[in-house]
């Protein structure tokens, strides 16, 4: 089996993470830069945008998210949510994934026949980017998970980090040193999921 397939197999949702990483900030940024540069996009639109939060900036994101959720989740039910936020905050950093709506709208205006497809294609490309970053982090020994607290936190995130209004938040990926491995994963029979005709 190829290294690529093995990396895909090893990539899992890791929730028990810590700040005690041996990978440099420069290496983390290099991984993200290479992923953003080389992940394909429809019409080579390159509409994905990424923010890497490290150190106090990472903690700030999860404090902001917890504060936002306190306004939504009833106080008597908040303990599990607070525990989840603490778990993400325990990590070393977070990758925020965005799509630039200005790019998508520009393509819609330029290629009217495909207008309805560009938002779909941009989401597909962003999903590929998320997988590339996630798998590359795993190859460096870092655990990560994919979170979706958007749109609840969108405005606060944009304001806190002074991001362009056209950037739409898609997902959040907290990462750090693996403290505990992922649990057992169940797989549906491939015969029900894959058809081969020859």
């Amino acid at each position: 089996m190829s290294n690529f397939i093995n990396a895909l197999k090893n990539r899992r949702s890791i929730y028990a993470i810590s700040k005690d990483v041996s990978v440099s900030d420069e290496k983390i940024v290099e991984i993200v830069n290479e992923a953003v540069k080389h992940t394909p996009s429809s019409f080579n639109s390159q509409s994905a945008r990424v923010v890497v939060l490290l150190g106090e900036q990472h903690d700030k994101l999860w404090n902001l998210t917890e504060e936002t959720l306190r306004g939504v989740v009833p106080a008597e039910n908040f303990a599990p949510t607070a525990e989840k936020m603490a778990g993400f905050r325990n990590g070393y950093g977070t990758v925020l994934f965005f799509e630039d709506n200005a790019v998508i709208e520009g393509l819609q205006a330029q290629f009217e026949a495909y207008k309805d497809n560009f938002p779909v294609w941009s989401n597909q490309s962003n999903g590929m980017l998320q997988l590339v970053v996630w798998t590359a982090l795993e190859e460096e020994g870092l655990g990560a998970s994919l979170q979706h607290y958007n749109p609840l936190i969108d405005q606060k995130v944009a304001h806190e980090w002074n991001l362009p209004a056209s950037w739409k938040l898609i997902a959040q990926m907290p990462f750090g040193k693996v403290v505990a491995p992922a649990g057992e994963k169940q797989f549906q029979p491939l015969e029900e999921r894959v058809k081969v005709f020859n």
Side-chain angles (χ1 to χ4, degrees), residues 172-192:
Q172 307 86 52
M173 185 179 289
F175 64 88
K177 178 183 178 182
V178 178
V179 174
E184 192 67 31
K185 187 173 183 177
Q186 301 298 316
F187 294 95
Q188 295 177 10
L190 287 175
E191 300 77 30
E192 296 175 8

Side-chain angles (χ1 to χ4, degrees), residues 51 61 64 96 98 153-169:
V51 171
L61 171 74
L64 176 154
L96 301 178
F98 299 81
I153 62 172
D154 289 19
Q155 289 184 343
K156 289 183 179 179
V157 166
H159 175 75
E160 185 63 44
W161 287 282
N162 195 28
L163 302 176
S166 62
W167 288 24
K168 179 184 177 187
L169 184 59

Side-chain angles (χ1 to χ4, degrees), residues 19 21-33 52-55 92-93 142 175:
K19 297 184 186 302
V21 303
S22 57
V23 182
S24 71
D25 290 356
E26 292 76 19
K27 182 64 176 178
I28 292 165
V29 172
E30 179 189 0
I31 287 169
V32 172
N33 281 337
V52 180
L53 301 174
L54 302 170
Y92 184 76
L142 298 171
F175 64 88

